[in-house]
Amino acid sequence: MRKRSYMLKTGCALLFALLGGCASYESRSLPYDAWSLNFFNPDYMEVWIETADVVDINDHVFRGAGSGIPSTGYPRGLSKGIPALFKGDAKGWFEHPTGKGRYVTGADLPRLVYVRWQSMAEPQTYEAYIEIPQSARNTMLKDEAAFCGAVGKWKTDYRKFLTVGLAPGGVAKVWLGGACLQSTEVTRVQGTISPKGPYGGTSNGKHRPLSEESKAYIDKFGIPYGSW
């Protein structure tokens, strides 16, 4: 048992030397198990997230913290064909976005989020480095009293949902919210065009296809640049 303990300590010391530290739950400053990294896009402005990576305040890197299709209002997941009436509106952001994503297990408070995504509405591939301000991290540590509709009573909640909205033109905007707390704005970042293009340059410049419904919306109303 003593030998195994020694080996674990030695292994952690080696990782510390190679990677800059061993993350552990005991070393983190969070009052909860983990915070969640979520994404969404405006109606019909479809997005494919190639990768989202996180650097926490201890400089630990969490690669692949997000990927795939984010949350959106329209088109609906099971919708087919072009509707007679477009019920969504691509202009601006949702009032209190929640997004879709996953918990960044083992991370301390976030310092930086890197995201590379395909904006299929244009199409174009963007990347953005989102620095999370200290004021936001302070908010993530603060407990708040909130009425939780899901259980029908007041409870203590934390703003542990970091939600990123991705829009055409390379715009990335960030909110903080909780299960029972409405989202508040944190920061807005202007991303840049990814020099390698979609899929890191492995697809000969081809982006994922836009859905038939979103294409019809854009053909009719255009892309509302400047509204995000």
Side-chain angles (χ1 to χ4, degrees), residues 35-56:
W35 55 272
S36 182
L37 178 62
N38 303 324
F39 293 92
F40 76 98
N41 59 260
D43 291 342
Y44 307 109
M45 303 293 108
E46 293 179 56
V47 160
W48 174 263
I49 300 168
E50 293 190 347
T51 188
D53 306 325
V54 169
V55 180
D56 73 7

Side-chain angles (χ1 to χ4, degrees), residues 205-223:
K206 293 183 179 180
H207 291 80
R208 286 178 63 89
L210 190 64
S211 72
E212 186 180 19
E213 182 174 344
S214 293
K215 184 179 185 305
Y217 179 94
I218 293 170
D219 288 342
K220 184 174 183 179
F221 300 104
I223 297 175

Side-chain angles (χ1 to χ4, degrees), residues 6 8 42 44 53 71 78 92 94 97 102 134 149 169 192 196 206-207 211:
Y6 172 79
L8 287 173
Y44 307 109
D53 306 325
S71 173
L78 298 177
F94 303 137
R102 67 188 71 159
Q134 182 61 50
T192 58
K196 293 183 179 180
K206 293 183 179 180
H207 291 80
S211 72

